[in-house]
Amino acid sequence: MDELEALEERLDNEIAGLDEQLGAVYSQIEELAFSIDDYLAENDFIQVEQAVSQLVGLFREDIEDDLEYLIKLSEIKNGEGDSMSCGAEIPTLSKDRLPKREPTQSDDHDDVDYEVSALNERVNACANHLRDLFGQALEHWQEANEAANNGSGPAARTELGYVRKVATEAGKTFALWQACLSELYVVSPGSLGPISDLLLIPVERWIRSAE
């Protein structure tokens, strides 16, 4: 094997190694997206918070360094790729966009049920938004990885930016979801199932912050 072939083999091995590392990140997001679906269904705010924190943690500086290295190596091997990236709008959710809640001062069973139903809708809206965000993270990270493999630096960086925005939005949505759980707990603790006892401390904190 001559020197050029040895260099080409080393380049291929480096690219394959980076591709495997970055592909593992995709698998981690996929696993988190799968797990958080169950956690949200169970109102398990502790596990949901951990999943969101893990998502945010995946895209710190070290992952950017690996992505940049893959871009450079791919450019060396195949030349610079298409720099275009599809524009994307990261979905957002705020309190004023949630289903309306009409607090009742009545003890009438139907009135309480109506309020509980409205509060459940607010919780579910947040939960569905979180599910969507994890799907968005998966999609944009795949695009970033593919762009880096093609030597498309601007596209890969844009997609990484989208993933980070998604992770930031997930953190905001988690806080909104937990606040909605707290509202529901105050009106109907039993609606939350076994996790209700664990919500006691966060609910007290939320009530104090709202005073």
Side-chain angles (χ1 to χ4, degrees):
M1 181 183 296
D2 61 26
E3 187 175 347
L4 180 58
E5 289 177 332
L7 286 173
E8 289 177 346
E9 183 177 356
R10 181 180 175 187
L11 179 60
D12 287 342
N13 289 338
E14 287 285 336
I15 289 174
L18 282 167
D19 190 42
E20 184 176 353
Q21 284 179 239
L22 297 176
V25 174
Y26 180 91
S27 296
Q28 290 177 66
I29 303 171
E30 191 172 39
E31 184 176 343
L32 288 171
F34 179 80
S35 298
I36 201 171
D37 186 53
D38 288 338
Y39 300 150
L40 288 165
E42 296 165 359
N43 296 320
D44 192 336
F45 67 94
I46 295 175
Q47 294 293 344
V48 172
E49 183 177 30
Q50 289 180 0
V52 171
S53 295
Q54 287 176 53
L55 181 67
V56 173
L58 284 174
F59 301 105
R60 296 202 169 97
E61 289 183 9
D62 54 341
I63 203 70
E64 184 174 2
D65 292 341
D66 287 343
L67 196 70
E68 289 291 342
Y69 191 29
L70 180 56
I71 292 167
K72 288 182 174 61
L73 294 180
S74 298
E75 287 176 347
I76 292 170
K77 181 179 179 181
N78 301 314
E80 187 172 342
D82 183 2
S83 63
M84 295 298 292
S85 175
C86 295
E89 185 174 343
I90 305 304
T92 60
L93 184 66
S94 57
K95 188 174 183 179
D96 59 357
R97 293 175 59 192
L98 291 173
K100 298 301 181 184
R101 172 201 180 187
E102 297 294 339
T104 179
Q105 304 299 322
S106 169
D107 292 330
D108 182 87
H109 189 271
D110 289 341
D111 289 341
V112 173
D113 281 351
Y114 181 80
E115 184 176 8
V116 169
S117 177
L119 290 170
N120 269 311
E121 286 183 16
R122 291 163 69 87
V123 169
N124 290 335
C126 294
N128 288 333
H129 188 58
L130 274 171
R131 291 184 179 100
D132 183 51
L133 289 170
F134 274 75
Q136 291 267 336
L138 202 59
E139 179 182 330
H140 285 300
W141 179 246
Q142 184 177 29
E143 293 291 333
N145 200 354
E146 289 178 358
N149 265 298
N150 293 328
S152 305
R157 295 179 193 107
T158 297
E159 293 296 335
L160 176 60
Y162 287 147
V163 177
R164 284 176 164 165
K165 288 178 182 178
V166 167
T168 298
E169 175 65 15
K172 294 177 181 177
T173 305
F174 167 75
L176 187 59
W177 175 76
Q178 189 177 23
C180 289
L181 280 182
S182 299
E183 291 176 332
L184 180 57
Y185 178 91
V186 170
V187 176
S188 177
S191 299
L192 302 181
I195 204 70
S196 60
D197 289 342
L198 291 176
L199 258 175
L200 183 58
I201 294 176
V203 166
E204 289 176 343
R205 187 184 304 125
W206 174 79
I207 291 172
R208 285 197 298 269
S209 69
E211 290 176 348

